[in-house]
Amino acid sequence: MLKSKTFVKKTRSGGIMKIVREHYLRDDIWCGSEVCTECKQEETVLQKDACIESNLCSFPHYLLPDTNIVLSQVSYCPRMAVFFCSRETYIEREQGESANDRNDRAIRISTKWYSDHLNNTPTDKRLKVVLLTNDRGNKEKAEESGLLTYRCKKQDTSVTSVPQDETAVLTSVPQDETAVLVFNITISVTSVPQDETAVLVFNITISVTSVPQDETAVLISVPQDETAVLIQGLQNLNRAVHQDLVAVEILPLNQWVAPSSVVLQDEGPKEDDVTEEEEAELKSGPSGAASRKPTGRVVGIIKRNWRPFCGMLFLSQIKEATRHLFTPADRRIPRIRIETRQAATLAGQRIMVAIDGWPKHSRYPNGHFVRSLGSAGDKETETEVLLLEHDVPHQDFSQAVLSFLPKMPWNITEEDMAVREDLRNLTVCSVDPPGCTDIDDALHCRDLPNGNQEVGVHIADVSHFIRPGNAMDLEAANRGTTVYLTGRRIDMVPELLSSNLCSLRSSVERLAFSCIWEINDKAEIVKTRFTKSVINSKASLTYAEAQMRIDDANMNDDTTKSLRGLNRLAKILKKRRIEKGALTLSSPEVRFHIDSETHDPIDLQTKELKETNSMVEEFMLLANISVAQKIYDEFSECALLRKHPAPPPSNYDILNKAAKSKDMVIHTDSAKALADSLDAAQVDGFPYFNTLLRILATRCMMQAVYFCSGMDSDFHHYGLASPIYTHFTSPIRRYSDIIVHRLLAVAIGADSTYPDLMDKHKQSALCNNLNYRHKMAQYAQRASVAYHTQLFFKSRGILNEEGFILFVRKNAIIVLIPKFGLEGTVFFENKDKPSPKLIFNEEVPSLTVEGHSFNMFDKVKVTISLDASNVQHQKIRMSLVEPVVLSVAPSEPEPEVKRAKLDR
C-alpha cells in the first residue's frame, strides 16, 4: 500500500520546488510471537513462555519500550518487532503535532494493535503487552487509552527471577560485589539484588584469540586484576562476539583447563556439524594444576559492540537459495547468515555485513548486506578492508575542517616574531627516513664560550595552527594518530599542514616549539629552557646521509660539525640510560621497495639501523622526559603522560625457558637486571642468538599507554627506566603531542588555557581514545606489511631461506626468517598423510619428530610460497627442507601440495 504527500517549497533562488513524500506500507510484517496463529510467519523470535517473575507483572507478558529507552539502552531491546511501517499501525502527523508527540502516539497505537492482536489467541496462551516509557505525558495518555504502562526503572527493580534459557543482556553489573544473581535470559537488568549468593561474575570485554573460523578458545582480561579467563566451546561463549562487554562466571577450580600447545591449522571452512566434544578436544590443554588457567562461561551480555564487518559471501549449494553464509575477514568474528537475492553479483566481492541478532537456537547470527567494497584481491579494495577492519578514520577531510586552514600564501608575520625567539641563525637540520615529508623535529648543537655545548630539539608548532575546539582540532583528536601503511599515509591533519606549513623542511622559515639545554662535556644537563621559536633548517637529511657526513673526515661544514657533536653526546646519554636499566630490545622491521608504476613491492629487506637513528632517538627521549617533568610540575592533576607498566613475572616464562635451553639464566626482578642479563647473553659462534633473545624479551613486554596524571599514581616507564615520560616530539602525527604542547605553552606563559585542558576526567577520556587509536594503527600497519609480503612472494614463486626457531609447540615450530623479518608456523601434521610420531617436552620446550629434536633458536631451512587458494585469506606457507624429516619433507616444490605449512 502506498501513501503519498505532496507540498511545494520555495528555494533560496526564489524558485518553487514540488516535493512528494511517499510511504510504502507493508502488510507482511508478522508479529513474531510463538502464540500467534494468524500471522503467516516462517520463524518466530518471541517465545510463548514469556514469564518473568515480577512484583508488577506476575503474568506472561511482552515488553514494548518507547523510542527514548531504545536510544539510551540499545542492549535493552535485542529483539524488537517494528510495526511503524505496517499498514495497521502507520499514522500521519497531525496539524500542530510535534515529531516527538507523533512518535509517542505511534508507539501507543502499536502497543494497542499488538495487544489486540494477541487477544485473538486462545485464552490459555494469551499474553499481555506492557508499554515501557519514562515520559510522564506519554504514560498518562497510554493509561487513558487503557494500555498497561510502567516506567522503565520501576519495571527493572521489580524483577525477582527469570527463566534460564537465554543469554542475559545486563546494562550494569556491580563492580565491587562478588555475589550477585546471574541472569540467563535476553533482558536488561539495571538493578541486581544484593542478597543472593550465586557465582563470581566479572564485567569485562571479551577478546577472541585469533584462531581459525568457528574455533572458540577465548581469552578475556579482567580489569580488576589483569588475569586472563579462558572460555571454551560455543555453548560457553553463549553467542558473545569479539569485543562485546560481557558478564563471565568463573567456573569451579576442578573445571579449569589449560590453553593448548597445539597450533590449529586452517584447512578452510568447517562443516556446520562440529560438536562441542570436538571443539573441546581441539582446544583442551594439559590438565596439570600448575598449567590451568581461570576458566569461565559467558552468562550475560552487558553491551554489544557489533559493527559492520568486512568479508566475503560464500554461496549456498542449494539452487536459487536466498540465505547464504558471510565469512568475515576477521577470523575472530563468527560467520553470519544473511538473506539476499543478489548473491551471484556479490560472489567474489569484498562486502560489508551488519549483525541484526542471534537467535537462541541458531549456530550463526543473522545479519544483512550493507555495501560492496570492490573485487577481492584488488589492492585498493584490500587496503579499504584493512582500514575499515582496524577502525582507522580515513575519509577525506570535510570542508568544515579545511575551513580552518590558513589562507595561502602563508607567511610568518611580525606579530609572530614579536612573541617568539628568533633562532633562524642556528645551524638546525633534520634527520629522517627516506621520503619523509611530515618532518616533526630538527636539532642543533653548538659550542658555548664557557666550554659547554648548547643542544636544541625543535618541534613543529602544530598547536599554532590547530586551535582548541574547532572542527580541525576535533577531527585530529578523533583520528589520534597518523597511520603509516606500506606506500600510503593516512594523515591526522590536512596535508597543507603535515607536509608543508608545519613540516620543518630545509631552507624555509617555520614556527617551532624548542627545548634547549646547556650540556657539559659529560652530557650532564646544566640548564633547560623551553621557548616558542622561528627556525630555518639548513638541511633535511636521511639517516644514511647524516651518517655519511659524520663518517667523512673531509666534511667539516657547520651542519656536519653539529651532527658530530650530537652523535658524541648521544652515545654518552644512551650509555647512561642503559646503566640505569633502560632496555634495548629488538623487533624485526621490514622495508619494501615499491615499483613506481605498478606500486607493487619489488624487494623486501629488514631495516638497517645506523648510529644516526640512535642519535635522533636519544635527544627525542631527552626532550620528552624534560617536557614531562615541566608539565607535571605545573599541572600535577591534568598532565598528559605516558607510562610503560612492568610485566608480570609470568610473562617471562618463555624467555627463561629459551635462556635455560642454552644453560643461561635471565634475571627479571627489575629492568636493570633484565638489561644486564640480556647484555651478558652471548653464545660463541652464534652472533644472532642475542638478537633472538631480545626479540623474545620484546614479546614479554606490556603495552605503553597514555594517562592523565591526576587519575593515576604509577608514572614509571619500565622500558626507558624513567620515572616520568610523555610525547612531545611528533605533533604532526600524534594528537597526544598537541595536548602536551598546549600544556607546555601555558606553563611558560606562551598561550592561554581552556576548560577541557584542565579537566582531568576529559583528559582521561581523551587518553582512552588515543590508546585505542594508537593500538589500531599498529595493527593496521602490521596488516599492511603482511599484505604486501604476500604480494612480494606472489611474484617470487618458491624460495628457500634459512631461519631460526622462535617457539616450539606440540605439533609445530614457529620460525623467524631474518632476511625478510618474516615469522610463521611449520606444521608436522597433515590430515592427508599419516601423522609422524611427535614427542613434546613442554618444560624445555622441545619437539621430537621421527627421532629428530627441534629446540628454540635451532637453525632450519624452509621453503616459502604463497597459497592463494582462498582469495580472502591468502597465506604464506612453509615446509621444512633442512633438517630432513622424511615424513614431512616435500616431494616436489609445488605450492598446491599439502604439506607442513605456515599460516600467517
Side-chain angles (χ1 to χ4, degrees), residues 374-667:
S375 299
D378 176 76
K379 192 181 301 181
E380 291 298 320
T381 301
E382 297 302 324
T383 301
E384 178 75 5
V385 169
L386 185 155
L387 293 170
L388 289 169
E389 282 297 293
H390 293 95
D391 196 18
V392 175
H394 59 286
Q395 67 278 6
D396 292 338
F397 289 101
S398 68
Q399 286 303 313
V401 171
L402 298 177
S403 68
F404 285 96
L405 289 171
K407 306 302 180 189
M408 297 299 288
W410 174 86
N411 292 294
I412 297 173
T413 65
E414 292 183 3
E415 289 80 6
D416 293 327
M417 295 300 301
V419 295
R420 293 175 178 270
E421 190 169 343
D422 188 352
L423 303 179
R424 290 176 292 181
N425 63 309
L426 295 180
T427 305
V428 174
C429 68
S430 63
V431 184
D432 292 283
C436 179
T437 60
D438 53 343
I439 303 174
D440 287 286
D441 55 88
L443 305 99
H444 88 272
C445 178
R446 65 174 178 173
D447 296 330
L448 296 176
N450 63 1
N452 291 336
Q453 288 183 299
E454 179 187 86
V455 174
V457 167
H458 311 278
I459 306 300
D461 191 4
V462 181
S463 62
H464 172 84
F465 297 94
I466 301 180
R467 303 307 297 166
N470 67 25
M472 191 185 303
D473 181 50
L474 297 176
E475 180 67 21
N478 177 51
R479 296 191 177 210
T481 182
T482 293
V483 181
Y484 295 90
L485 306 182
T486 302
R488 182 178 175 184
R489 187 181 77 205
I490 313 296
D491 282 325
M492 183 185 75
V493 299
E495 188 177 16
L496 179 63
L497 297 184
S498 65
S499 295
N500 188 349
L501 302 184
C502 290
S503 183
L504 305 182
R505 301 183 300 180
S506 59
S507 303
V508 291
E509 296 178 357
R510 289 290 179 257
L511 303 180
F513 209 152
S514 300
C515 175
I516 301 174
W517 306 276
E518 181 180 337
I519 299 180
N520 65 23
D521 202 47
K522 297 179 181 178
E524 297 168 335
I525 297 174
V526 177
K527 186 189 303 181
T528 304
R529 66 188 181 94
F530 308 97
T531 181
K532 293 266 188 166
S533 62
V534 179
I535 66 169
N536 189 321
S537 175
K538 303 303 184 287
S540 297
L541 305 173
T542 66
Y543 291 114
E545 290 169 344
Q547 190 67 53
M548 182 189 68
R549 282 174 173 261
I550 292 171
D551 296 339
D552 189 347
N554 295 320
M555 297 191 72
N556 289 292
D557 58 277
D558 289 344
T559 298
T560 302
K561 291 178 181 178
S562 176
L563 289 170
R564 288 182 182 138
L566 290 167
N567 196 42
R568 185 186 69 81
L569 292 171
K571 290 178 180 179
I572 301 173
L573 290 171
K574 183 174 183 178
K575 182 174 182 293
R576 186 179 302 143
R577 248 187 347 101
I578 292 174
E579 288 173 351
K580 290 181 179 179
L583 298 174
T584 304
L585 301 177
S586 181
S587 181
E589 294 184 58
V590 298
R591 175 175 179 160
F592 292 94
H593 294 277
I594 304 296
D595 187 284
S596 58
E597 294 183 2
T598 64
H599 302 290
D600 287 335
I602 56 177
D603 196 10
L604 172 61
Q605 298 174 338
T606 53
K607 291 183 180 179
E608 179 185 355
L609 299 181
K610 301 181 180 295
E611 277 188 1
T612 46
N613 291 84
S614 178
M615 176 191 78
V616 173
E617 180 185 21
E618 286 305 315
F619 286 107
M620 296 304 111
L621 294 175
L622 188 61
N624 287 335
I625 293 170
S626 298
V627 170
Q629 192 62 58
K630 177 66 175 179
I631 63 174
Y632 177 66
D633 290 343
E634 294 291 333
F635 309 109
S636 61
E637 287 295 299
C638 57
L640 192 156
L641 303 176
R642 187 166 175 83
K643 69 175 181 177
H644 183 211
S650 59
N651 278 29
Y652 291 118
D653 288 349
I654 189 63
L655 181 64
N656 290 327
K657 288 181 179 180
K660 188 178 179 181
S661 69
K662 300 296 182 182
D663 298 322
M664 296 181 182
V665 176
I666 300 293
H667 299 285

Side-chain angles (χ1 to χ4, degrees), residues 320-352:
E320 298 183 358
T322 58
R323 292 185 180 182
H324 308 272
L325 278 180
F326 165 84
T327 300
D330 187 340
R331 295 173 181 269
R332 297 169 297 186
I333 307 300
R335 283 183 281 177
I336 303 167
R337 182 179 286 111
I338 71 168
E339 189 163 346
T340 178
R341 296 186 183 280
Q342 50 180 328
T345 304
L346 298 179
Q349 298 279 309
R350 287 281 204 169
I351 65 174
M352 294 185 74

Side-chain angles (χ1 to χ4, degrees), residues 644-786:
H644 183 211
S650 59
N651 278 29
Y652 291 118
D653 288 349
I654 189 63
L655 181 64
N656 290 327
K657 288 181 179 180
K660 188 178 179 181
S661 69
K662 300 296 182 182
D663 298 322
M664 296 181 182
V665 176
I666 300 293
H667 299 285
T668 59
D669 46 320
S670 69
K672 171 65 173 169
L674 175 60
D676 290 343
S677 296
L678 290 174
D679 288 341
Q682 304 289 338
V683 174
D684 293 339
F686 190 2
Y688 200 67
F689 170 78
N690 190 263
T691 300
L692 289 170
L693 211 58
R694 292 181 190 274
I695 290 172
L696 278 190
T698 304
R699 309 289 174 89
C700 301
M701 294 297 112
M702 305 291 284
Q703 180 70 46
V705 293
Y706 297 108
F707 69 101
C708 177
S709 59
M711 304 293 284
D712 207 328
S713 58
D714 179 16
F715 295 4
H716 188 73
H717 197 292
Y718 180 81
L720 298 175
S722 175
I724 195 167
Y725 192 67
T726 193
H727 274 162
F728 163 76
T729 54
S730 297
I732 293 178
R733 61 184 178 90
R734 291 190 304 235
Y735 188 77
S736 56
D737 302 51
I738 294 179
I739 296 296
V740 170
H741 276 227
R742 290 172 180 170
L743 288 166
L744 183 60
V746 175
I748 66 173
D751 205 344
S752 57
T753 187
Y754 57 98
D756 285 3
L757 193 65
M758 298 294 129
D759 188 325
K760 66 180 182 180
H761 297 287
K762 290 187 177 179
Q763 287 279 52
S764 184
L766 173 64
C767 288
N768 290 337
N769 180 63
L770 295 179
N771 290 329
Y772 171 73
R773 292 299 188 196
H774 178 73
K775 178 178 68 175
M776 299 312 289
Q778 285 186 317
Y779 292 164
Q781 287 159 200
R782 292 172 192 168
S784 180
V785 168

Side-chain angles (χ1 to χ4, degrees), residues 147-292:
L147 301 177
L148 184 58
T149 311
Y150 292 116
R151 293 182 61 209
C152 178
K153 185 174 181 181
K154 190 173 183 181
Q155 166 67 15
D156 287 340
T157 56
S158 71
V159 176
T160 59
S161 68
V162 294
Q164 302 294 305
D165 65 342
E166 291 199 41
T167 304
V169 178
L170 311 174
T171 57
S172 68
V173 174
Q175 296 302 296
D176 57 351
E177 301 289 339
T178 58
V180 301
L181 180 63
V182 176
F183 294 86
N184 199 26
I185 186 172
T186 309
I187 63 166
S188 175
V189 181
T190 57
S191 175
V192 180
Q194 298 302 305
D195 59 349
E196 302 289 341
T197 54
V199 295
L200 181 63
V201 172
F202 291 106
N203 176 356
I204 51 186
T205 300
I206 197 164
S207 180
V208 180
T209 54
S210 182
V211 296
Q213 191 73 33
D214 289 338
E215 300 305 335
T216 52
V218 178
L219 282 177
I220 27 188
S221 61
V222 180
Q224 288 90 334
D225 60 4
E226 296 185 351
T227 301
V229 180
L230 183 66
I231 296 178
Q232 291 185 311
L234 289 175
Q235 184 173 354
N236 286 336
L237 191 55
N238 211 355
R239 292 178 290 162
V241 176
H242 178 61
Q243 290 297 300
D244 282 353
L245 188 64
V246 299
V248 170
E249 173 192 352
I250 305 300
L251 299 176
L253 188 61
N254 61 2
Q255 296 183 38
W256 288 16
V257 296
S260 175
S261 296
V262 174
V263 184
L264 293 178
Q265 302 186 50
D266 177 22
E267 297 292 351
K270 286 183 167 51
E271 300 298 325
D272 290 355
D273 58 353
V274 178
T275 65
E276 287 291 318
E277 291 74 15
E278 288 173 320
E279 287 173 352
E281 181 182 349
L282 285 169
K283 300 306 295 183
S284 293
S287 57
S291 59
R292 291 178 180 176

